[in-house]
Amino acid sequence: MLKKLKEEVYAANMELQRQGLVKYTWGNASGFDEDEQVFVIKPSGVPYEELTPDDLVTVNLDGEKVDGKLNPSSDTATHAVIYKHFKEIKGVVHTHSPWATIWAQSGQELRPMGTTHADHFYGAIPCARYLTKQEIDEGYEKETGNLIVDTFKEKNIDPVAVPGILLHGHASFTWGKNVTDAVVNNVVLDEIAKMNLFARIVNPNASDLPQEILDKHYLRKHGANAYYGQN
Amino acid sequence: MLKKLKEEVYAANMELQRQGLVKYTWGNASGFDEDEQVFVIKPSGVPYEELTPDDLVTVNLDGEKVDGKLNPSSDTATHAVIYKHFKEIKGVVHTHSPWATIWAQSGQELRPMGTTHADHFYGAIPCARYLTKQEIDEGYEKETGNLIVDTFKEKNIDPVAVPGILLHGHASFTWGKNVTDAVVNNVVLDEIAKMNLFARIVNPNASDLPQEILDKHYLRKHGANAYYGQN
Amino acid sequence: MLKKLKEEVYAANMELQRQGLVKYTWGNASGFDEDEQVFVIKPSGVPYEELTPDDLVTVNLDGEKVDGKLNPSSDTATHAVIYKHFKEIKGVVHTHSPWATIWAQSGQELRPMGTTHADHFYGAIPCARYLTKQEIDEGYEKETGNLIVDTFKEKNIDPVAVPGILLHGHASFTWGKNVTDAVVNNVVLDEIAKMNLFARIVNPNASDLPQEILDKHYLRKHGANAYYGQN
Amino acid sequence: MLKKLKEEVYAANMELQRQGLVKYTWGNASGFDEDEQVFVIKPSGVPYEELTPDDLVTVNLDGEKVDGKLNPSSDTATHAVIYKHFKEIKGVVHTHSPWATIWAQSGQELRPMGTTHADHFYGAIPCARYLTKQEIDEGYEKETGNLIVDTFKEKNIDPVAVPGILLHGHASFTWGKNVTDAVVNNVVLDEIAKMNLFARIVNPNASDLPQEILDKHYLRKHGANAYYGQN
């Protein structure tokens, strides 16, 4: 029944490797099924070379496995919380992609410095604080999800308009209207992280993109009157 | 009738991907037909993997589609303005290539620091200012073209000798005597941007290339007495 | 008799090249046989393209060749000392991988700044001092091994928990429970070195990972109650 | 008669591209024939994809073509001067490889900071000054050769022990006992340039390799009692 979703999630996981976002098993992608209220996710620690669509694991919104032979990704509880709270999100990706991870280790948010950013993220991409010892003890992966949701709430950011986050000392999560879209956002996030790092080397005082150009680029692709592409 | 040009423009668009200048659909190349006073350009948002020569769109100098099933690139109006004002230019390329885009985000021009630069660009490559809110409202893509033309006019730069520009907060446009040449210039611009960035890290006071070496390298390839190559 | 080990060591050496850790012959991997108390290592100066499992050389814990037609790696004596003193180690890898070598040239240890580090190394990765003239004269490669062992002893680091080291002005050695594991640790060490370098560019005051997150990530993969993967 | 040399020089030119040292036609390799006192070099401006061994051009020590249909590389006169003065050199390579070119643009020599350097270059790799206007007017390529020779003479460097140089604002030349060796030295020079750049970012005060380690590594590969490899 989830056959089509499994194929899409499988393709998305394989794309993580093809795009150079992951080494070994450092990443996972999942896709959500609206009708069943479950998501399909990569199993834990399985090399991409050996992965098949049948290996994918089906999990409910409480993070409990409902189908599959293997253990789901160790980050499953984080995915569950994201789907539970970000209602319009149907795909989630986590990777240790190099430049996003570098930026996450720095503990800083990614400012919108260019139109590459503006084409996909409508404003700064936040960097969540470290989890506390208490949160880690209560459930590291679930609390990571809660921290993501709380960070967007506190900063009053719409997760549809800014489909990703950095986690201090860890790496990135991105999401989207489906798992394919979530992968694209992970690729873009990594590229933005690289660009911003080096742009600040060229010019330590490099400015944010003016609001009107941010608006223009985001809205010509995503706004009500979008005119990018063939639609 | 434009069959040969379409094949050349198709090959140029595919080359953008092969050279690592573009991810997804972040780039477009066009070629101009002198007789018809039209140019052939990539359709908007079509992945390179799916692109065929028949998908290319034919556009006149006012930026109006005159042939083709698909919508032309969202940047079509910029190409049109460049062809209209830079009479000797027969190919235009726009990409978000990483190093040129990084430099564009910094808002600085690219100084001629080495002979790699001098072999292709006869002097500094300018960085145009941000567009104003008024310009964006009047027509973002067309005004981008006007800004490019005006920047060359104000700085009194010959677009044949300096076949490219950075746009602050955005990325690069390059051009040439045909679309193949415009792609080469985009590759070179990206490489120069990378080299200059790191050369300034090694030596923050690194100097411009002396004028006589800039002359020598540019003119041995492009001057009246050029002796590079087999001609 | 050592057929299976030789195949594993051969595959590990070839993987060094595939992972981009080595150019030419700048690396070597070895695997230890508990029963025979010998290790199998790459021959010296043989290009990876020409290497076969039969070319591998068998060496005892005093660094003496016991089987094989070719000369063993010039770094053989270093491998021997590591196996002799780090009793739980069954695989050793040496490469001049770019980012680890860069960091080795800087003479600084690698602080744990992210969970990528914590997933594989339980604390800072030390950088050993230069060898002295006397040590070099007494036996450069053997003394390199002794310096590695002494550095871990002096700093009171468990070589199982921190499976690698940088050598000032030289490059990295990594190890593991087998040669395949030692290669993984070499890949990870190089990636960490890259990440930490650039994270400090983004934020010169970037902090170490809090101890509780270091604990959490290392132990969820390697601790008594590890729950990562399929075991 | 020069068939074997031509094949070796052809292979060396193709290797430049495979190693990522050149884009387009930004490089050339030549090999010297002791008996004939001529060298075989890449033709000017011919893409590597189209190059065949028969396209190579034979040139004497005065830089005059003695055989071949095509124009020799525009840098031919520089190769000729190097062969004329560095008697033990039988192969020369010029590329605009990224990291060596970056360092050349900075105008600084490459200090020996690690054993990767010491394995191939016995001391600092010099950076020659810009050519003067008078030298350019007298013959840019020939005077480039003279400047290389003079720089080694003035600094009292043995070109066999330090088989390469950076040219301020330009790029690198390397050489060796044959053209294959000259390519290896070009690869190594580029890698050293990358490593030293980033090592100085990690630690602006990173030190030179102690003389005794430089001696050890260079001499274990190149000295009278060399013991690296299978000889």
Side-chain angles (χ1 to χ4, degrees), chain C residues 48-65:
Chain C
Y48 292 98
E49 294 75 18
E50 303 170 12
L51 194 66
T52 69
D54 281 347
D55 292 334
L56 297 175
V57 186
T58 307
V59 179
N60 68 20
L61 284 180
D62 294 324
E64 298 160 346
K65 179 161 87 168

Side-chain angles (χ1 to χ4, degrees), chain A:
Chain A
M1 213 161 58
L2 297 168
K3 194 164 184 298
K4 205 179 146 219
L5 181 62
K6 280 184 182 172
E7 276 165 15
E8 192 187 348
V9 172
Y10 169 76
N13 275 288
M14 297 308 284
E15 176 79 355
L16 297 182
Q17 192 176 54
R18 211 164 20 241
Q19 290 280 357
L21 298 174
V22 297
K23 284 175 186 276
Y24 298 114
T25 58
W26 306 354
N28 44 71
S30 72
F32 188 69
D33 184 273
E34 187 72 38
D35 295 333
E36 304 285 325
Q37 292 287 304
V38 294
F39 59 98
V40 166
I41 192 166
K42 185 177 174 294
S44 182
V46 174
Y48 293 98
E49 294 76 17
E50 302 171 12
L51 193 67
T52 69
D54 281 346
D55 293 335
L56 298 175
V57 186
T58 306
V59 179
N60 68 21
L61 285 180
D62 294 322
E64 298 160 344
K65 179 161 87 167
V66 296
D67 189 43
K69 289 162 297 185
L70 300 169
N71 300 335
S73 165
S74 56
D75 298 306
T76 294
T78 313
H79 290 242
V81 174
I82 292 173
Y83 287 122
K84 202 163 193 171
H85 290 86
F86 293 170
K87 299 292 186 191
E88 297 172 82
I89 299 308
K90 306 289 177 241
V92 173
V93 166
H94 169 56
T95 74
H96 288 217
S97 72
W99 300 103
T101 304
I102 283 162
W103 210 276
Q105 289 192 179
S106 81
Q108 298 188 356
E109 68 179 358
L110 275 167
R111 302 295 309 169
M113 295 178 70
T115 60
T116 317
H117 186 122
D119 283 339
H120 295 87
F121 293 86
Y122 196 23
I125 300 165
C127 183
R129 62 164 171 79
Y130 292 128
L131 286 185
T132 64
K133 178 138 188 21
Q134 191 184 337
E135 287 167 335
I136 294 167
D137 291 344
E138 282 174 3
Y140 177 67
E141 293 82 6
K142 186 175 178 183
E143 291 305 319
T144 296
N146 286 332
L147 178 59
I148 291 171
V149 171
D150 289 350
T151 302
F152 272 69
K153 202 173 296 176
E154 277 165 30
K155 291 178 183 277
N156 199 25
I157 306 173
D158 173 3
V160 172
V162 178
I165 193 169
L166 303 171
L167 305 174
H168 194 183
H170 191 165
S172 72
F173 273 86
T174 55
W175 46 79
K177 62 180 188 287
N178 54 50
V179 66
T180 308
D181 197 40
V183 173
V184 171
N185 289 332
N186 209 270
V187 170
V188 176
L189 176 50
D190 198 62
E191 190 74 1
I192 293 170
K194 176 182 172 182
M195 286 179 174
N196 286 15
L197 188 159
F198 287 107
R200 295 210 313 195
I201 290 181
V202 176
N203 182 359
N205 302 313
S207 55
D208 282 8
L209 200 62
Q211 184 65 40
E212 55 268 23
I213 301 182
L214 180 64
D215 290 345
K216 179 69 190 176
H217 267 262
Y218 187 77
L219 298 174
R220 81 174 184 172
K221 280 189 99 166
H222 304 277
N225 299 312
Y227 57 92
Y228 184 91
Q230 298 301 329
N231 305 310

Side-chain angles (χ1 to χ4, degrees), chain D residues 9-17 27-29 42 48 51 56:
Chain D
V9 173
Y10 169 76
N13 274 289
M14 297 307 285
E15 176 79 356
L16 296 182
Q17 192 176 53
N28 43 73
K42 185 177 175 294
Y48 293 97
L51 193 66
L56 297 176

Side-chain angles (χ1 to χ4, degrees), chain D residues 174-192:
Chain D
T174 55
W175 46 79
K177 61 180 191 288
N178 54 51
V179 65
T180 309
D181 198 40
V183 173
V184 172
N185 289 332
N186 209 270
V187 170
V188 176
L189 176 49
D190 198 62
E191 189 74 3
I192 293 170

Side-chain angles (χ1 to χ4, degrees), chain B residues 113-184:
Chain B
M113 295 179 70
T115 60
T116 316
H117 186 123
D119 284 339
H120 296 87
F121 293 86
Y122 196 23
I125 300 165
C127 183
R129 62 165 171 76
Y130 292 128
L131 286 185
T132 64
K133 178 136 186 26
Q134 190 184 338
E135 287 167 334
I136 294 167
D137 291 344
E138 284 173 3
Y140 178 68
E141 293 82 5
K142 185 176 179 183
E143 291 305 319
T144 297
N146 285 333
L147 178 59
I148 291 171
V149 171
D150 290 349
T151 302
F152 272 68
K153 202 174 294 174
E154 277 165 30
K155 292 179 182 278
N156 200 24
I157 306 174
D158 173 4
V160 172
V162 178
I165 193 168
L166 302 171
L167 304 174
H168 194 181
H170 190 167
S172 72
F173 274 86
T174 55
W175 45 80
K177 62 181 188 288
N178 54 51
V179 67
T180 309
D181 198 39
V183 173
V184 172

Side-chain angles (χ1 to χ4, degrees), chain C residues 23-26 44 70-71 74-75 96 99 101-103 105-106 108 130 136 140-141 169-170 197-198 200, chain D residues 113-116 184 187 191 195-196 198-199 202-203 207-208 210 212-213 216-217 220 227-230:
Chain C
K23 285 175 185 277
Y24 299 113
T25 58
W26 306 353
S44 182
L70 300 170
N71 300 335
S74 56
D75 298 306
H96 288 217
W99 300 103
T101 304
I102 284 162
W103 209 274
Q105 289 192 178
S106 82
Q108 299 190 355
Y130 292 128
I136 294 167
Y140 178 67
E141 293 82 6
H170 191 166
L197 189 159
F198 287 106
R200 296 209 314 194
Chain D
M113 295 179 70
T115 61
T116 317
V184 172
V187 170
E191 189 74 3
M195 286 179 174
N196 286 16
F198 287 106
V202 176
N203 181 0
S207 54
D208 282 8
E212 55 267 23
I213 301 182
K216 180 68 191 178
H217 266 263
R220 81 175 185 172
Y227 58 91
Y228 183 90
Q230 298 300 328

Side-chain angles (χ1 to χ4, degrees), chain C residues 86 129 135 145-155:
Chain C
F86 292 171
R129 62 165 170 77
E135 288 166 335
N146 286 332
L147 177 60
I148 290 171
V149 171
D150 289 351
T151 302
F152 272 69
K153 202 173 296 176
E154 277 166 30
K155 291 178 183 279

